[in-house]
Amino acid sequence: METTSEKPAMDTLRTLPGDDVRQIMWRFADRYDLQMLVQSARGVARGPVARLVAEGARNSHDWTVEKARLLQAFDESGITAVFMDPEHGGFVEGPKNTALALVAFELSWVDGGAATCSLAGNLALAPIHERGTREQRDAYMRRAMPPQPGEDRTISRGAFALTEPLPYVGVETGLLSGKLRVVEWEEGKEPVLQVDKRGRFITNIGFANFVTAAVDSGDPRIKGSCMVIVEETDPGVFDRGTATRKLVHQLSSTGDPVFSLRVPASRIIGGYTVKDGVIVPRYSHGEVIEAVFRRTRVTVGLMTSAKLLSAVEPVIRYQRGRFRGGESVQPGSPRYELGLQQREDVLHRLVDVWATGEAGTSLGFATARLFDEIDPLERRKDELFAAQGVGGGTAQLKAMRRLQKDAIEYLTLTAKPEAARDAARTEALGADPLIQYMIQDSLVNVLCPAVKLWNTGHGATVMREAVSLMGGYGITEDCPGFLGHKWMDAQLEATYEGPEAVQRRQLTLTMVNELFLEQFRGWIVEMRRIASERPGTGACTVATAMQLWLWALVHLQAATDAEGDKLYHGTRQGVTFPLADALCWLLAARYLILDVLELEAKGPQSPVVAEGLPGLLQFMTDLCHVQSARAGGEVGRICAELVYGYNRHPAWDDLACGSCGPDAAEVLQVVLPGVKTPPGADGHPTKAGPCVQFEGMEGFTQLRLRLDACLTGARLAKDRAATALTKVMIPEALDYPA
Ligand SMILES: Cc1cc2nc3c(=O)[nH]c(=O)nc-3n(C[C@H](O)[C@H](O)[C@H](O)COP(=O)(O)OP(=O)(O)OC[C@H]3O[C@@H](n4cnc5c(N)ncnc54)[C@H](O)[C@@H]3O)c2cc1C
């Protein structure tokens, strides 16, 4: 192990957090199956995947024999089988969101393309898994399982085709040009359909044996849209098209395929009914992709966070070794031992990278766990509604809207102290699976787009910081940890499965659901309580920033701009999108704090973790504080801009305000300490006085002031975390490429 000469103090970070720490923080310490899975995935990532990258396989966008060997590695290590239920040959019992998230995390720790290659196969199966008929599920899941010893068959791999050549499907998923028509329909027999679909940027297309494709009706005998399965052996054209000339994720295969195939109507995902001579698919393509993406997007978010955390070790090693080998730099000297780590800025920036990675993973894994909880509830909800004769889609939404009041009542009851609750009513509502589903659903509907948006979007920006910390090395192929590749890859992760605008648009709708907001109010109380017990976490800042965000949301929902136009409105993305961004900062900071508290609670029970726990906790708490402060700053900035920014400047029409108009130079002088203040209102040279005080804003102004004061100690925390980076032990060399 490499270390600096100074012996680490007891209360500082000794080593980089290992598996035992992560198992506690991400709550899989009691899941031996997941721990084994992590090891298998890591073996593939840091073995064959890392070697491929090091050998330059990313220099071509073509799907090569060497890259194809990855598929075999996925099959042999169990990665391919993670998605499958035991009845289809899989080995993970129950919901698999956390399992899949862990696999993606491990693979993208080394290479995002390899992770995507594995995930895209699951994405192809997901429509069938989520909305397929039993027959479809049984057939395609079994075929996608790697053959077991004694089985004489080849594995079937899939691709998912939604996106179409311009000007069709991209962000706007309703603009479908892919068509489904009836070509044969003999009396009493199953109809034969013609599928015409062109894809754009379709992952896994270089080797896919089947494709789940979104198509619209091109025939009066078919109603609406649906997703349909096409196979390479279907009669017609299954053209894989040309490879996409990608700058990123080159270990996955991407291309623009063309399909013109005949398939039986039983390939419509979820099945169909026939009404008045018209084929009515059970699910529209929109309903299928909604069920699919709401799970898979979480995994993509975690991929970018893995990159940030993976950057910590290579950057520390680079910083420490930066000046070694020079004639005048002797072992034992600060320049030799610490290298660049003698400089505060590089340490502070690395603290930011690390804190962002931690917050993203905490948010991502919490969301994956929540999906594991909601999966059985969702099936129960479907069964209950089916028993009541309530169909899918809008019928279910209407039925749930009627239960909204009860669900809010349950949240209000549980927020009270036990003695003050109506126990019988609380118990009855708590035992109602529909109510419980609705509450969880309102949460995942916010968390899923938040993970995808914040982890990838902000993550890509912070990944640039990580690259910059490696200097010129950062933007070469030789950069340890492949950080340059990871920076670009992060941008794709922010784009595919719906770019940031899609996530912001979804948040615009889901974050104003009263069921979510009621839980959010509970979190303010929770953060205040944590703040009083663990002030070092920055929970106080998060609580105040949450209040400020809520104040701004309520205000903007009611307020109009200077022209009298509504502010919080679907078309007013300038208002709704930044508010969605602000919320993401809060969520990420909160989940990091909760994970660190879990580490504090459970760490002592693990002999491995207990050993260095005080120092680890101090460091992680400091990261929480850093992240909370940054989140508070972002929320304050965004909310202030929105709350004030749509008012007309009071002095605008009569007199130019000194701070914005031609008198700016004078004002600059005014605010500089020691400069004589000219006569006039409070040193502000306008007749109107302070230009930003509007009626009814006092609450906001007070919260802003309080938020600033909440930052107390945040920079001390950053300094401590930075010092810890100079002392933490790291291995002699990176464990990949081999
Ligand atoms: C390497 C790679 C692999 C991919 N794999 C697959 C795959 O396997 N299957 C598949 O179906 N697709 C796949 N895609 C496609 C990907 O999902 C789309 O590229 C993505 O959804 C964005 O669509 P677009 O490129 O048409 O962007 P556009 O829709 O043209 O968007 C362009 C920009 O405009 C913004 N924008 C668009 N509409 C709005 C709006 N209403 N409000 C505000 N802003 C808006 C977007 O945020 C974006 O910044 C892949 C893409 C790539 C690059």
Side-chain angles (χ1 to χ4, degrees):
M1 301 286 263
E2 181 193 310
T3 178
T4 57
S5 58
E6 207 177 322
K7 194 168 174 285
M10 277 304 287
D11 63 347
T12 191
L13 185 68
R14 291 188 194 173
T15 55
L16 301 177
D19 284 328
D20 301 84
V21 173
R22 295 314 188 184
Q23 287 161 15
I24 294 172
M25 289 180 73
W26 303 334
R27 326 294 161 90
F28 63 105
D30 56 350
R31 291 283 306 268
Y32 188 65
D33 57 339
L34 297 189
Q35 294 166 20
M36 289 294 96
L37 180 62
V38 165
Q39 295 307 323
S40 302
R42 188 173 301 164
V44 174
R46 302 186 194 193
V49 172
R51 280 196 294 275
L52 264 180
V53 180
E55 285 160 15
R58 291 192 53 138
N59 294 336
S60 105
H61 46 256
D62 291 320
W63 187 244
T64 61
V65 177
E66 291 74 29
K67 293 181 193 177
R69 289 204 190 101
L70 278 186
L71 301 173
Q72 208 182 331
F74 294 156
D75 295 347
E76 287 165 2
S77 62
I79 289 175
T80 310
V82 178
F83 190 76
M84 262 51 91
D85 291 318
E87 62 178 312
H88 300 127
F91 58 91
V92 179
E93 291 279 355
K96 295 162 189 56
N97 302 285
T98 304
L100 291 164
L102 285 166
V103 169
F105 181 87
E106 285 300 328
L107 290 175
S108 51
W109 183 276
V110 177
D111 187 80
T116 293
C117 182
S118 148
L119 290 177
N122 302 335
L123 185 62
L125 286 168
I128 302 170
H129 186 265
E130 296 307 322
R131 292 290 177 259
T133 62
R134 168 145 285 283
E135 294 73 27
Q136 289 167 345
R137 269 206 302 277
D138 286 348
Y140 287 92
M141 297 294 156
R142 288 212 174 96
R143 283 186 222 162
M145 262 300 289
Q148 300 302 296
E151 270 190 292
D152 182 21
R153 65 176 174 89
T154 50
I155 188 170
S156 185
R157 304 190 197 275
F160 170 92
L162 170 65
T163 313
E164 295 176 346
L166 298 176
Y168 298 103
V169 179
V171 164
E172 304 297 345
T173 53
L175 288 172
L176 273 177
S177 84
K179 291 283 181 277
L180 193 63
R181 296 181 181 87
V182 178
V183 280
E184 261 178 50
W185 195 349
E186 284 181 34
E187 185 70 28
K189 287 197 180 163
E190 182 171 57
V192 177
L193 309 176
Q194 170 71 26
V195 181
D196 288 296
K197 169 88 181 176
R198 294 179 64 193
R200 174 167 58 111
F201 303 147
I202 305 305
T203 306
N204 280 10
I205 200 59
F207 53 84
N209 310 102
F210 71 93
V211 175
T212 45
V215 283
D216 203 357
S217 168
D219 193 315
R221 287 168 294 171
I222 301 174
K223 184 161 184 238
S225 68
C226 65
M227 285 203 75
V228 64
I229 309 166
V230 294
E231 297 186 12
E232 60 179 339
T233 49
D234 288 329
V237 177
F238 186 104
D239 181 349
R240 298 176 193 280
T242 48
T244 306
R245 292 158 61 84
K246 282 181 293 187
L247 295 169
V248 292
H249 281 214
Q250 291 94 340
L251 295 194
S252 67
S253 145
T254 314
D256 296 357
V258 180
F259 309 114
S260 181
L261 298 156
R262 281 177 171 217
V263 302
S266 61
R267 296 277 190 78
I268 293 175
I269 293 178
Y272 62 94
T273 52
V274 176
K275 208 172 158 196
D276 303 329
V278 173
I279 295 171
V280 184
R282 182 155 179 226
Y283 298 109
S284 69
H285 84 291
E287 285 168 333
V288 179
I289 60 178
E290 193 190 310
V292 168
F293 281 153
R294 81 186 208 130
R295 288 171 173 80
T296 54
R297 282 174 176 159
V298 178
T299 324
V300 178
L302 277 162
M303 285 168 56
T304 313
S305 301
K307 293 175 167 61
L308 293 171
L309 291 182
S310 81
V312 170
E313 186 188 324
V315 171
I316 292 179
R317 187 174 295 102
Y318 177 77
Q319 291 176 339
R320 291 205 185 143
R322 175 65 179 82
F323 303 115
R324 289 180 194 170
E327 278 170 25
S328 59
V329 183
Q330 297 304 316
S333 66
R335 199 164 166 77
Y336 183 93
E337 300 298 338
L338 289 169
L340 277 169
Q341 292 203 328
Q342 284 180 293
R343 306 288 167 232
E344 191 173 67
D345 183 63
V346 298
L347 292 169
H348 278 192
R349 283 178 197 277
L350 186 55
V351 167
D352 285 334
V353 170
W354 194 336
T356 309
E358 289 293 340
T361 42
S362 289
L363 175 61
F365 281 118
T367 309
R369 286 196 300 278
L370 201 62
F371 271 113
D372 281 349
E373 282 173 33
I374 207 174
D375 275 358
L377 271 177
E378 189 167 9
R379 302 212 187 288
R380 184 84 189 104
K381 177 228 19 164
D382 288 339
E383 283 164 18
L384 287 171
F385 277 140
Q388 293 168 18
V390 179
T394 40
Q396 279 200 7
L397 281 179
K398 270 191 198 154
M400 285 200 282
R401 222 169 283 143
R402 286 194 290 272
L403 293 171
Q404 174 99 348
K405 221 168 101 256
D406 290 347
I408 291 180
E409 185 188 349
Y410 176 74
L411 289 173
T412 318
L413 284 169
T414 47
K416 290 182 185 170
E418 244 177 271
R421 289 180 202 162
D422 176 341
R425 180 75 179 146
T426 313
E427 196 181 337
L429 292 173
D432 186 333
L434 290 177
I435 303 278
Q436 294 312 309
Y437 171 78
M438 284 177 65
I439 293 171
Q440 303 268 47
D441 190 52
S442 70
L443 202 47
V444 290
N445 284 340
V446 169
L447 292 185
C448 172
V451 174
K452 176 72 166 62
L453 171 61
W454 193 82
N455 289 27
T456 63
H458 179 59
T461 305
V462 179
M463 198 59 220
R464 193 201 68 82
E465 285 287 331
V467 171
S468 78
L469 288 172
M470 300 291 274
Y473 217 7
I475 37 177
T476 68
E477 285 177 16
D478 302 324
C479 179
F482 312 134
L483 301 191
H485 285 314
K486 286 175 181 167
W487 172 30
M488 275 291 264
D489 284 355
Q491 179 52 41
L492 173 58
E493 287 145 29
T495 300
Y496 71 5
E497 291 205 24
E500 288 144 279
V502 174
Q503 318 308 323
R504 291 184 175 118
R505 213 168 43 180
Q506 196 186 333
L507 280 163
T508 300
L509 301 172
T510 59
M511 71 190 184
V512 292
N513 180 349
E514 198 44 45
L515 263 183
F516 167 71
L517 290 176
E518 193 60 29
Q519 295 175 78
F520 187 81
R521 287 186 196 101
W523 295 349
I524 297 175
V525 179
E526 169 202 55
M527 285 293 123
R528 286 258 171 265
R529 182 182 47 72
I530 294 171
S532 64
E533 292 159 8
R534 302 277 179 281
T537 54
C540 180
T541 317
V542 178
T544 309
M546 281 176 163
Q547 279 179 284
L548 190 83
W549 181 84
L550 204 52
W551 195 103
L553 176 72
V554 172
H555 170 81
L556 293 166
Q557 278 180 306
T560 53
D561 67 10
E563 304 297 329
D565 292 331
K566 219 170 159 347
L567 283 174
Y568 198 95
H569 190 275
T571 56
R572 206 91 196 240
Q573 296 179 341
V575 177
T576 55
F577 281 18
L579 262 186
D581 287 333
L583 175 63
C584 294
W585 281 93
L586 294 170
L587 297 173
R590 172 180 181 261
Y591 281 101
L592 175 55
I593 290 173
L594 296 183
D595 277 357
V596 172
L597 292 188
E598 179 77 3
L599 183 63
E600 182 184 50
K602 305 273 169 64
Q605 293 157 26
S606 158
V608 180
V609 177
E611 219 196 316
L613 190 57
L616 173 65
L617 275 179
Q618 179 63 61
F619 178 74
M620 288 305 227
T621 305
D622 287 335
L623 285 192
C624 283
H625 208 159
V626 167
Q627 195 57 34
S628 300
R630 181 71 207 279
E634 287 295 321
V635 172
R637 176 185 65 77
I638 292 170
C639 291
E641 222 177 287
L642 296 177
V643 164
Y644 290 111
Y646 287 99
N647 291 294
R648 201 185 299 276
H649 203 292
W652 210 261
D653 298 330
D654 339 329
L655 185 74
C657 163
S659 60
C660 326
D663 298 333
E666 193 184 346
V667 171
L668 273 182
Q669 278 190 2
V670 173
V671 296
L672 285 175
V675 176
K676 195 168 152 254
T677 306
D682 294 341
H684 196 297
T686 68
K687 277 193 212 153
C691 56
V692 289
Q693 198 60 51
F694 297 98
E695 229 173 280
M697 296 290 196
E698 298 76 20
F700 187 77
T701 317
Q702 276 166 20
L703 280 169
R704 281 280 283 168
L705 282 174
R706 184 171 179 180
L707 185 57
D708 280 358
C710 282
L711 299 177
T712 309
R715 282 276 152 172
L716 294 175
K718 195 167 206 172
D719 278 351
R720 260 193 314 274
T723 305
L725 293 184
T726 65
K727 297 181 191 298
V728 64
M729 284 191 288
I730 59 166
E732 289 288 351
L734 202 61
D735 65 354
Y736 67 94

